[in-house]
Amino acid sequence: METKQSDKKSLQEVINQFDLGNVKEFSGMNDGIVNISYNVKTTRGNFIVQRLSEIFDERTIQDYNEVQSYLRTNGINVPVLLPSIYGKPFHRNSHLWRIFEYIPNEALTEINPETALETGKVLGRFHRLMKGYRFKPRFSLEGFHDTEGYLKKLKECYESNEEKAKKVKDEYNFINSRIKSHKIPKGLGITIIHGDPNLGNFLFKDNKVVSMLDLDTLMEASELIDLGDAFRSWSQTKDNKFNPNIFYSSLEGYKSENPISYDESQVYSATGFITLELAARFLTDYFEESYFQWDSNRFSSSAEHNLARTKKTVNYYNQLSKEFAKRSHFG
């Protein structure tokens, strides 16, 4: 993320609300595609300062504040959310801000089966713990993981913008035809799920998970949604290849902490389902250009970036579908 002098001024204004000293240096973090995050060093330490997307509100932060202690005392390390000088775990000006203590970590160049096993254990432990915790999220991201809603919105965008639609006819038809062969059974494995357990929402050190991040999308839903989303993300190599060894190691780790009571073929199908759901979301934002952050250094527009994301995700789906078809009836 490109940073500017104006960013420093904005960050200092926020830092002042938490009494954390003066900003010495800062850098933008590129791993988020919704919120904007900065690694900030001040005269009092190192912190993660995050500007939340407008899709979230104070309830998102209140939910995090409620579950952080429970998770930390039960073996899942999450970043400590810091209170402002007014005692609130956030600051609002023209944007909504929060600050976390920095957790030392190392960049994970590429996940290996051993790391996947450990990450699967953390997700399994998270689901198991949330089953035993009386908690109902205050905040609910409207329409999140509402696949029928995503497809309806995509159809409206496609039919109302003929010029853009011409360029994506193949992708549109593919997503709509293939996603119908997958489903997540209603009422199966219902608990509080993470909602966005992609690899970027875990921190690592010495190939071990040292923290789980971004509990902004906590929701009551099927574990299969998290499993499909997690294993889709973790098994994707930097060159957009599906790595089955990572997938099966992740599943093994998960089951060791939270034994599943359903057929593994349902996990395969959920992974394909969530992959296509993501492709539909990217393609919708190709039309709307309003949701996902985009890289202006590599692309001329949000539409161009989201179309590239769509094509990449569809290609990835084709790879994992071939692997799963060897093991079960896929879809």
Side-chain angles (χ1 to χ4, degrees):
M1 181 197 302
E2 184 180 353
T3 56
K4 300 172 287 188
Q5 191 61 28
S6 58
D7 291 336
K8 183 174 182 179
K9 182 179 178 181
S10 297
L11 289 171
Q12 185 62 64
E13 291 175 357
V14 175
I15 288 290
N16 289 343
Q17 299 302 311
F18 292 79
D19 193 23
L20 296 175
N22 297 319
V23 175
K24 294 169 61 178
E25 57 183 276
F26 68 98
S27 59
M29 301 171 69
N30 291 311
D31 49 353
I33 58 175
V34 178
N35 298 321
I36 298 177
S37 303
Y38 299 89
N39 187 342
V40 182
K41 291 184 180 180
T42 77
T43 50
R44 295 196 178 178
N46 197 0
F47 307 95
I48 300 299
V49 180
Q50 194 170 62
R51 194 185 89 185
L52 272 69
S53 166
E54 293 181 358
I55 64 175
F56 299 116
D57 61 33
E58 287 92 343
R59 293 172 299 168
T60 310
I61 303 175
Q62 290 168 346
D63 284 340
Y64 185 96
N65 205 35
E66 181 172 337
V67 303
Q68 65 173 339
S69 294
Y70 172 71
L71 293 174
R72 288 173 65 87
T73 55
N74 284 280
I76 295 184
N77 189 31
V78 296
V80 174
L81 184 63
L82 300 179
S84 73
I85 56 178
Y86 300 105
K88 296 180 180 180
F90 60 84
H91 169 65
R92 181 180 280 284
N93 46 29
S94 56
H95 298 286
L96 182 61
W97 300 82
R98 63 184 172 190
I99 298 183
F100 296 103
E101 285 187 352
Y102 174 78
I103 295 177
N105 65 93
E106 299 168 348
L108 189 70
T109 54
E110 188 144 11
I111 192 170
N112 57 46
E114 292 75 24
T115 307
L117 183 77
E118 294 301 316
T119 313
K121 287 180 180 178
V122 172
L123 184 60
R125 189 179 308 137
F126 173 80
H127 284 165
R128 177 169 53 78
L129 287 172
M130 296 311 292
K131 287 177 184 175
Y133 186 46
R134 286 190 174 184
F135 168 74
K136 187 173 182 64
R138 297 176 182 85
F139 177 82
S140 176
L141 189 57
E142 186 176 355
F144 191 56
H145 284 307
D146 174 11
T147 311
E148 290 183 7
Y150 289 144
L151 294 175
K152 181 181 178 181
K153 189 174 184 181
L154 175 57
K155 184 174 185 290
E156 291 171 353
C157 291
Y158 184 82
E159 293 179 346
S160 63
N161 195 323
E162 184 177 351
E163 193 62 34
K164 275 190 170 182
K166 289 178 183 177
K167 300 178 182 179
V168 297
K169 181 179 179 180
D170 290 343
E171 289 79 13
Y172 176 80
N173 289 334
F174 180 85
I175 292 169
N176 276 282
S177 63
R178 289 299 295 137
I179 203 167
K180 292 175 182 176
S181 65
H182 301 284
K183 64 178 180 179
I184 293 179
K186 294 182 179 179
L188 190 63
I190 302 299
T191 186
I192 300 296
I193 67 170
H194 183 285
D196 187 23
N198 68 76
L199 199 59
N201 282 333
F202 294 83
L203 296 180
F204 299 87
K205 192 171 185 180
D206 299 327
N207 286 319
K208 301 287 186 181
V209 177
V210 293
S211 184
M212 175 186 274
L213 307 177
D214 288 352
L215 307 180
D216 298 335
T217 49
L218 293 175
M219 60 187 292
E220 190 173 34
S222 172
E223 298 168 332
L224 284 167
I225 291 176
D226 263 2
L227 291 180
D229 204 8
F231 298 163
R232 168 203 65 79
S233 164
W234 306 352
S235 304
Q236 188 172 15
T237 65
K238 287 191 173 183
D239 56 352
N240 200 42
K241 297 287 194 279
F242 175 69
N243 187 328
N245 293 328
I246 300 301
F247 179 92
Y248 297 115
S249 293
S250 302
L251 182 57
E252 180 185 349
Y254 181 88
K255 291 193 297 182
S256 71
E257 283 281 346
N258 188 40
I260 61 175
S261 58
Y262 34 88
D263 193 276
E264 286 187 8
S265 63
Q266 292 174 309
V267 181
Y268 304 157
S269 187
T271 306
F273 182 84
I274 295 297
T275 303
L276 290 173
E277 181 190 271
L278 180 62
R281 293 174 65 198
F282 284 145
L283 190 55
T284 299
D285 211 39
Y286 156 77
F287 288 101
E288 295 191 325
E289 303 185 60
S290 63
Y291 186 81
F292 293 108
Q293 300 287 334
W294 63 282
D295 188 346
S296 59
N297 293 321
R298 295 172 52 218
F299 299 93
S300 62
S301 66
S302 173
E304 183 185 359
H305 193 167
N306 279 299
L307 179 54
R309 286 169 169 151
T310 302
K311 291 177 179 291
K312 182 178 179 180
T313 306
V314 167
N315 178 268
Y316 183 65
Y317 170 85
N318 284 328
Q319 294 180 56
L320 63 84
S321 65
K322 289 178 183 178
E323 168 63 26
F324 294 150
K326 299 175 187 175
R327 293 179 171 258
S328 69
H329 174 67
F330 184 60

Coordinates of all heavy atoms in Angstrom, one line a residue, residues 160-231:
S160 N -28.0 -5.3 -16.6 CA -28.2 -3.9 -16.7 C -27.0 -3.2 -17.3 O -27.1 -1.9 -17.4 CB -28.5 -3.3 -15.3 OG -27.5 -3.5 -14.4
N161 N -26.0 -3.9 -17.6 CA -24.8 -3.2 -18.2 C -24.3 -4.1 -19.3 O -23.4 -4.9 -19.2 CB -23.7 -3.1 -17.1 CG -22.6 -2.1 -17.5 OD1 -22.2 -2.1 -18.7 ND2 -22.1 -1.4 -16.6
E162 N -24.9 -3.9 -20.5 CA -24.6 -4.7 -21.6 C -23.2 -4.6 -22.1 O -22.6 -5.6 -22.5 CB -25.6 -4.3 -22.8 CG -25.4 -5.1 -24.0 CD -26.4 -4.7 -25.1 OE1 -27.3 -3.9 -24.8 OE2 -26.3 -5.2 -26.2
E163 N -22.6 -3.4 -22.0 CA -21.2 -3.2 -22.5 C -20.2 -4.0 -21.7 O -19.4 -4.8 -22.2 CB -20.9 -1.7 -22.4 CG -19.6 -1.4 -23.2 CD -19.7 -1.7 -24.7 OE1 -20.8 -1.5 -25.3 OE2 -18.7 -2.1 -25.3
K164 N -20.3 -3.9 -20.4 CA -19.4 -4.7 -19.5 C -19.7 -6.2 -19.6 O -18.8 -7.0 -19.5 CB -19.6 -4.2 -18.0 CG -18.7 -3.0 -17.7 CD -18.7 -2.8 -16.2 CE -17.6 -1.8 -15.8 NZ -17.6 -1.5 -14.3
A165 N -21.0 -6.5 -19.7 CA -21.4 -7.9 -19.7 C -20.8 -8.7 -20.9 O -20.5 -9.9 -20.8 CB -23.0 -8.0 -19.7
K166 N -20.7 -8.0 -22.0 CA -20.1 -8.7 -23.2 C -18.7 -9.3 -22.9 O -18.4 -10.4 -23.5 CB -19.9 -7.7 -24.3 CG -21.2 -7.2 -25.0 CD -21.0 -6.2 -26.0 CE -22.3 -5.7 -26.7 NZ -22.0 -4.6 -27.7
K167 N -18.0 -8.7 -22.0 CA -16.6 -9.1 -21.8 C -16.5 -10.3 -20.8 O -15.5 -10.9 -20.7 CB -15.8 -8.0 -21.2 CG -15.7 -6.8 -22.1 CD -14.9 -5.6 -21.5 CE -14.8 -4.4 -22.4 NZ -14.1 -3.3 -21.8
V168 N -17.6 -10.6 -20.1 CA -17.6 -11.6 -19.1 C -18.6 -12.7 -19.2 O -19.0 -13.4 -18.3 CB -17.7 -11.0 -17.7 CG1 -16.5 -10.0 -17.4 CG2 -19.0 -10.2 -17.5
K169 N -19.1 -12.9 -20.4 CA -20.2 -13.8 -20.7 C -19.8 -15.2 -20.2 O -20.6 -16.0 -19.6 CB -20.6 -13.8 -22.1 CG -21.7 -14.8 -22.5 CD -22.1 -14.7 -24.0 CE -23.2 -15.7 -24.3 NZ -23.5 -15.7 -25.7
D170 N -18.6 -15.7 -20.6 CA -18.1 -17.0 -20.3 C -18.0 -17.2 -18.7 O -18.5 -18.2 -18.2 CB -16.8 -17.3 -20.9 CG -16.9 -17.4 -22.4 OD1 -18.0 -17.6 -22.9 OD2 -15.8 -17.4 -23.1
E171 N -17.4 -16.2 -18.1 CA -17.3 -16.3 -16.6 C -18.6 -16.4 -15.9 O -18.9 -17.1 -15.0 CB -16.4 -15.2 -16.1 CG -15.0 -15.2 -16.4 CD -14.7 -14.8 -17.8 OE1 -15.6 -14.2 -18.5 OE2 -13.5 -15.0 -18.3
Y172 N -19.5 -15.5 -16.4 CA -20.9 -15.4 -15.8 C -21.6 -16.7 -15.9 O -22.2 -17.3 -14.9 CB -21.7 -14.3 -16.4 CG -23.1 -14.2 -16.0 CD1 -23.4 -13.5 -14.8 CD2 -24.1 -14.7 -16.7 CE1 -24.7 -13.4 -14.3 CE2 -25.5 -14.6 -16.3 CZ -25.7 -14.0 -15.1 OH -27.1 -13.9 -14.7
N173 N -21.6 -17.3 -17.1 CA -22.3 -18.6 -17.3 C -21.7 -19.7 -16.6 O -22.4 -20.6 -16.1 CB -22.4 -18.9 -18.8 CG -23.3 -17.9 -19.6 OD1 -24.2 -17.4 -19.0 ND2 -23.0 -17.7 -20.9
F174 N -20.4 -19.7 -16.5 CA -19.7 -20.8 -15.8 C -20.0 -20.8 -14.3 O -20.4 -21.8 -13.8 CB -18.2 -20.7 -16.0 CG -17.4 -21.7 -15.3 CD1 -17.2 -23.0 -15.9 CD2 -16.9 -21.6 -14.0 CE1 -16.4 -24.0 -15.3 CE2 -16.2 -22.6 -13.3 CZ -16.0 -23.8 -14.0
I175 N -20.0 -19.6 -13.7 CA -20.3 -19.5 -12.3 C -21.7 -20.0 -12.0 O -21.9 -20.8 -11.1 CB -20.0 -18.1 -11.7 CG1 -18.6 -17.7 -11.8 CG2 -20.6 -17.9 -10.3 CD1 -18.3 -16.3 -11.6
N176 N -22.6 -19.5 -12.8 CA -24.0 -19.9 -12.5 C -24.3 -21.3 -12.8 O -25.2 -21.9 -12.0 CB -24.9 -19.0 -13.4 CG -25.2 -17.6 -12.8 OD1 -26.0 -17.5 -11.9 ND2 -24.5 -16.6 -13.3
S177 N -23.7 -21.9 -13.7 CA -24.0 -23.3 -14.0 C -23.3 -24.3 -13.0 O -23.9 -25.3 -12.6 CB -23.5 -23.7 -15.5 OG -22.1 -23.5 -15.6
R178 N -22.1 -24.0 -12.6 CA -21.4 -24.9 -11.7 C -21.8 -24.8 -10.2 O -21.8 -25.8 -9.5 CB -19.9 -24.6 -11.8 CG -19.3 -25.1 -13.1 CD -19.4 -26.6 -13.3 NE -18.7 -27.4 -12.3 CZ -19.1 -28.4 -11.7 NH1 -20.4 -28.9 -11.9 NH2 -18.4 -29.1 -10.8
I179 N -22.1 -23.6 -9.8 CA -22.5 -23.4 -8.4 C -23.7 -24.2 -8.0 O -23.9 -24.5 -6.8 CB -22.6 -21.9 -8.0 CG1 -22.3 -21.7 -6.5 CG2 -23.9 -21.3 -8.4 CD1 -22.1 -20.3 -6.1
K180 N -24.6 -24.4 -9.0 CA -25.8 -25.2 -8.7 C -25.5 -26.6 -8.3 O -26.4 -27.3 -7.7 CB -26.7 -25.1 -9.9 CG -27.3 -23.7 -10.2 CD -28.1 -23.7 -11.5 CE -28.6 -22.3 -11.9 NZ -29.3 -22.3 -13.2
S181 N -24.4 -27.1 -8.6 CA -24.1 -28.5 -8.3 C -23.5 -28.7 -6.9 O -23.2 -29.8 -6.4 CB -23.0 -29.1 -9.3 OG -21.8 -28.4 -9.2
H182 N -23.4 -27.5 -6.2 CA -22.9 -27.6 -4.8 C -23.9 -27.0 -3.9 O -24.7 -26.1 -4.2 CB -21.6 -26.7 -4.7 CG -20.5 -27.2 -5.6 ND1 -19.7 -28.3 -5.3 CD2 -20.0 -26.7 -6.8 CE1 -18.8 -28.5 -6.3 NE2 -19.0 -27.5 -7.2
K183 N -23.8 -27.4 -2.6 CA -24.7 -26.7 -1.6 C -24.1 -27.1 -0.2 O -23.3 -28.0 0.0 CB -26.1 -27.2 -1.7 CG -26.3 -28.7 -1.4 CD -27.8 -29.1 -1.5 CE -27.9 -30.6 -1.2 NZ -29.4 -31.0 -1.2
I184 N -24.4 -26.2 0.7 CA -24.1 -26.5 2.1 C -25.4 -26.8 2.9 O -26.3 -26.0 2.9 CB -23.4 -25.2 2.7 CG1 -22.0 -25.0 2.1 CG2 -23.2 -25.4 4.3 CD1 -21.3 -23.8 2.6
P185 N -25.5 -28.1 3.4 CA -26.7 -28.5 4.0 C -27.1 -27.6 5.2 O -26.3 -27.2 6.0 CB -26.4 -29.9 4.5 CG -25.2 -30.3 3.7 CD -24.5 -29.1 3.4
K186 N -28.4 -27.2 5.2 CA -28.9 -26.3 6.3 C -28.9 -27.1 7.6 O -29.3 -28.3 7.6 CB -30.2 -25.8 5.9 CG -30.2 -24.8 4.7 CD -31.6 -24.3 4.4 CE -31.5 -23.3 3.3 NZ -32.8 -22.7 2.9
G187 N -28.6 -26.5 8.7 CA -28.7 -27.1 10.0 C -27.5 -28.0 10.4 O -27.6 -28.6 11.4
L188 N -26.5 -28.1 9.5 CA -25.4 -29.0 9.8 C -24.2 -28.3 10.3 O -23.7 -27.4 9.7 CB -25.0 -29.7 8.5 CG -24.0 -30.9 8.6 CD1 -24.6 -32.0 9.4 CD2 -23.6 -31.4 7.2
G189 N -23.8 -28.6 11.6 CA -22.6 -28.0 12.2 C -22.7 -26.6 12.5 O -21.8 -25.8 12.3
I190 N -23.9 -26.2 12.9 CA -24.2 -24.7 13.2 C -23.4 -24.3 14.5 O -23.5 -24.9 15.5 CB -25.7 -24.5 13.4 CG1 -26.4 -24.9 12.1 CG2 -25.9 -23.0 13.7 CD1 -26.0 -24.1 10.8
T191 N -22.7 -23.2 14.4 CA -22.0 -22.6 15.5 C -21.6 -21.2 15.1 O -22.1 -20.7 14.1 CB -20.7 -23.4 15.8 OG1 -20.1 -22.9 17.0 CG2 -19.7 -23.4 14.7
I192 N -20.9 -20.5 16.0 CA -20.4 -19.2 15.6 C -19.1 -19.4 14.8 O -18.1 -20.0 15.3 CB -20.0 -18.3 16.9 CG1 -21.3 -18.1 17.7 CG2 -19.4 -17.0 16.4 CD1 -22.4 -17.3 17.0
I193 N -19.1 -19.0 13.6 CA -17.9 -19.2 12.7 C -17.2 -17.9 12.5 O -17.7 -16.8 12.8 CB -18.3 -19.8 11.3 CG1 -19.1 -18.8 10.5 CG2 -19.1 -21.1 11.5 CD1 -19.4 -19.1 9.1
H194 N -15.9 -18.0 12.0 CA -15.1 -16.9 11.8 C -15.6 -16.0 10.7 O -15.7 -14.8 10.7 CB -13.7 -17.3 11.5 CG -12.7 -16.2 11.3 ND1 -12.6 -15.4 10.2 CD2 -11.7 -15.7 12.1 CE1 -11.7 -14.5 10.3 NE2 -11.1 -14.7 11.5
G195 N -16.0 -16.7 9.6 CA -16.6 -16.0 8.5 C -15.6 -15.6 7.4 O -16.0 -15.5 6.2
D196 N -14.3 -15.5 7.7 CA -13.3 -15.1 6.7 C -11.9 -15.7 7.1 O -11.0 -14.9 7.3 CB -13.2 -13.6 6.6 CG -12.3 -13.1 5.5 OD1 -12.1 -13.9 4.5 OD2 -11.8 -12.0 5.5
P197 N -11.8 -17.0 7.2 CA -10.6 -17.6 7.8 C -9.5 -17.8 6.7 O -8.9 -18.9 6.6 CB -11.1 -18.9 8.3 CG -12.2 -19.3 7.4 CD -12.9 -18.0 7.0
N198 N -9.3 -16.8 5.8 CA -8.3 -17.0 4.8 C -6.9 -16.9 5.5 O -6.8 -16.5 6.6 CB -8.4 -15.9 3.7 CG -8.1 -14.5 4.2 OD1 -6.9 -14.1 4.4 ND2 -9.2 -13.7 4.4
L199 N -5.9 -17.3 4.8 CA -4.6 -17.5 5.4 C -4.0 -16.2 5.9 O -3.3 -16.1 6.9 CB -3.6 -18.1 4.3 CG -2.3 -18.7 4.9 CD1 -2.6 -19.8 5.8 CD2 -1.4 -19.2 3.7
G200 N -4.4 -15.1 5.3 CA -4.0 -13.7 5.7 C -4.5 -13.4 7.1 O -4.0 -12.4 7.7
N201 N -5.5 -14.1 7.6 CA -6.1 -13.8 8.9 C -5.5 -14.7 10.0 O -6.1 -14.8 11.1 CB -7.6 -13.9 8.9 CG -8.2 -12.7 8.2 OD1 -7.6 -11.6 8.3 ND2 -9.4 -12.8 7.7
F202 N -4.3 -15.2 9.7 CA -3.5 -15.9 10.7 C -2.0 -15.4 10.7 O -1.5 -15.0 9.6 CB -3.4 -17.4 10.5 CG -4.8 -18.1 10.6 CD1 -5.7 -18.1 9.5 CD2 -5.1 -18.7 11.8 CE1 -6.9 -18.7 9.6 CE2 -6.4 -19.4 11.9 CZ -7.3 -19.3 10.8
L203 N -1.4 -15.2 11.8 CA 0.0 -14.8 11.9 C 0.8 -16.1 12.3 O 0.4 -16.9 13.0 CB 0.2 -13.7 12.9 CG -0.5 -12.4 12.7 CD1 -0.2 -11.4 13.8 CD2 -0.1 -11.8 11.3
F204 N 2.0 -16.1 11.7 CA 2.9 -17.2 11.9 C 4.3 -16.8 12.4 O 4.8 -15.7 12.2 CB 3.1 -18.0 10.6 CG 1.8 -18.5 10.0 CD1 1.0 -17.7 9.2 CD2 1.3 -19.8 10.3 CE1 -0.2 -18.2 8.7 CE2 0.2 -20.3 9.8 CZ -0.6 -19.5 9.0
K205 N 4.9 -17.7 13.2 CA 6.3 -17.6 13.6 C 6.9 -19.0 13.7 O 6.2 -19.8 14.4 CB 6.4 -16.8 14.9 CG 7.9 -16.4 15.2 CD 7.9 -15.4 16.3 CE 9.3 -14.9 16.6 NZ 9.4 -14.0 17.7
D206 N 8.0 -19.2 13.1 CA 8.6 -20.6 13.2 C 7.6 -21.6 12.7 O 7.5 -22.7 13.2 CB 9.1 -20.9 14.6 CG 10.2 -20.0 15.1 OD1 11.0 -19.5 14.2 OD2 10.2 -19.7 16.3
N207 N 6.9 -21.3 11.6 CA 5.9 -22.2 11.0 C 4.8 -22.6 12.0 O 4.1 -23.6 11.7 CB 6.6 -23.4 10.4 CG 7.3 -23.1 9.1 OD1 6.8 -22.3 8.3 ND2 8.5 -23.6 9.0
K208 N 4.6 -21.9 13.0 CA 3.5 -22.1 14.0 C 2.5 -20.9 13.9 O 2.9 -19.8 13.7 CB 4.0 -22.3 15.4 CG 5.0 -23.4 15.6 CD 4.2 -24.8 15.5 CE 5.2 -25.9 15.9 NZ 4.5 -27.2 15.8
V209 N 1.2 -21.2 14.2 CA 0.3 -20.1 14.3 C 0.5 -19.3 15.6 O 0.4 -20.0 16.7 CB -1.2 -20.6 14.2 CG1 -2.2 -19.5 14.3 CG2 -1.4 -21.3 12.8
V210 N 0.7 -18.0 15.5 CA 0.8 -17.3 16.8 C -0.4 -16.4 17.0 O -0.5 -15.8 18.1 CB 2.1 -16.4 16.8 CG1 3.3 -17.3 16.8 CG2 2.2 -15.5 15.6
S211 N -1.3 -16.2 16.0 CA -2.5 -15.4 16.2 C -3.5 -15.6 15.1 O -3.2 -15.9 14.0 CB -2.1 -13.9 16.3 OG -3.3 -13.2 16.6
M212 N -4.8 -15.5 15.5 CA -5.9 -15.5 14.6 C -6.4 -14.0 14.6 O -6.5 -13.4 15.6 CB -7.0 -16.4 15.0 CG -8.3 -16.3 14.2 SD -9.6 -17.3 14.8 CE -9.3 -18.9 14.1
L213 N -6.7 -13.5 13.4 CA -7.0 -12.1 13.2 C -8.4 -11.9 12.7 O -9.1 -12.8 12.3 CB -6.0 -11.4 12.2 CG -4.5 -11.6 12.4 CD1 -3.8 -10.9 11.3 CD2 -4.1 -11.0 13.8
D214 N -8.8 -10.6 12.7 CA -10.0 -10.1 12.1 C -11.3 -10.9 12.3 O -11.8 -11.6 11.4 CB -9.7 -10.0 10.6 CG -8.8 -8.8 10.2 OD1 -8.5 -8.1 11.2 OD2 -8.4 -8.7 9.1
L215 N -11.8 -10.8 13.5 CA -13.1 -11.4 13.8 C -14.3 -10.5 13.5 O -15.2 -10.4 14.2 CB -13.1 -11.8 15.3 CG -11.9 -12.7 15.8 CD1 -12.1 -13.0 17.2 CD2 -11.8 -13.9 14.9
D216 N -14.2 -9.8 12.4 CA -15.2 -8.8 12.0 C -16.5 -9.5 11.4 O -17.5 -8.9 11.3 CB -14.7 -7.9 11.0 CG -13.5 -7.0 11.5 OD1 -13.4 -6.9 12.7 OD2 -12.7 -6.6 10.7
T217 N -16.3 -10.7 11.0 CA -17.5 -11.4 10.3 C -18.0 -12.6 11.1 O -18.5 -13.5 10.5 CB -17.0 -11.8 8.9 OG1 -15.8 -12.5 9.0 CG2 -16.8 -10.6 8.0
L218 N -17.9 -12.5 12.4 CA -18.5 -13.6 13.2 C -19.9 -13.7 12.9 O -20.7 -12.7 12.8 CB -18.3 -13.3 14.7 CG -16.9 -13.2 15.3 CD1 -16.9 -12.8 16.7 CD2 -16.2 -14.6 15.1
M219 N -20.4 -15.0 12.7 CA -21.8 -15.2 12.4 C -22.2 -16.6 12.8 O -21.3 -17.5 12.9 CB -22.0 -15.0 10.9 CG -21.2 -15.9 10.0 SD -21.3 -15.5 8.2 CE -23.0 -16.0 7.9
E220 N -23.5 -16.8 13.0 CA -24.0 -18.1 13.3 C -24.3 -18.8 12.0 O -25.2 -18.4 11.3 CB -25.2 -18.0 14.2 CG -25.7 -19.3 14.8 CD -26.8 -19.2 15.8 OE1 -27.7 -18.3 15.6 OE2 -26.9 -19.9 16.7
A221 N -23.5 -19.9 11.8 CA -23.7 -20.5 10.5 C -23.0 -21.9 10.5 O -22.5 -22.3 11.6 CB -23.1 -19.7 9.4
S222 N -23.0 -22.6 9.4 CA -22.4 -23.9 9.4 C -20.9 -23.9 9.4 O -20.3 -23.0 8.7 CB -22.9 -24.7 8.1 OG -22.2 -25.9 7.9
E223 N -20.3 -24.8 10.1 CA -18.8 -24.9 10.1 C -18.3 -25.1 8.6 O -17.2 -24.7 8.3 CB -18.3 -26.1 10.9 CG -18.7 -26.1 12.3 CD -18.5 -27.4 13.0 OE1 -18.6 -28.5 12.3 OE2 -18.2 -27.4 14.2
L224 N -19.1 -25.7 7.8 CA -18.7 -26.0 6.4 C -18.4 -24.7 5.6 O -17.5 -24.7 4.7 CB -19.8 -26.8 5.7 CG -19.9 -28.3 6.0 CD1 -21.2 -28.9 5.5 CD2 -18.7 -29.0 5.5
I225 N -19.0 -23.6 6.0 CA -18.7 -22.3 5.3 C -17.2 -21.9 5.6 O -16.5 -21.6 4.7 CB -19.7 -21.2 5.7 CG1 -21.1 -21.5 5.2 CG2 -19.2 -19.8 5.3 CD1 -22.1 -20.5 5.6
D226 N -16.9 -22.0 6.9 CA -15.5 -21.7 7.3 C -14.5 -22.7 6.7 O -13.4 -22.3 6.2 CB -15.3 -21.7 8.8 CG -15.4 -20.3 9.4 OD1 -15.6 -19.4 8.7 OD2 -15.2 -20.2 10.6
L227 N -14.9 -24.0 6.7 CA -14.0 -25.0 6.2 C -13.7 -24.8 4.7 O -12.6 -24.9 4.2 CB -14.5 -26.4 6.4 CG -14.6 -26.9 7.8 CD1 -15.2 -28.3 7.9 CD2 -13.2 -26.9 8.5
G228 N -14.8 -24.6 3.9 CA -14.7 -24.3 2.5 C -13.8 -23.1 2.2 O -13.0 -23.1 1.3
D229 N -14.1 -22.0 3.0 CA -13.3 -20.8 2.8 C -11.9 -20.9 3.2 O -11.0 -20.5 2.5 CB -14.0 -19.7 3.5 CG -13.7 -18.3 2.9 OD1 -13.1 -18.2 1.9 OD2 -14.1 -17.3 3.6
A230 N -11.6 -21.6 4.3 CA -10.3 -21.8 4.8 C -9.5 -22.6 3.9 O -8.4 -22.2 3.4 CB -10.3 -22.4 6.2
F231 N -10.0 -23.8 3.6 CA -9.2 -24.7 2.8 C -9.0 -24.3 1.3 O -8.0 -24.6 0.7 CB -9.8 -26.1 2.8 CG -9.9 -26.7 4.2 CD1 -10.7 -27.8 4.5 CD2 -9.1 -26.2 5.2 CE1 -10.8 -28.3 5.7 CE2 -9.2 -26.7 6.5 CZ -10.0 -27.8 6.8

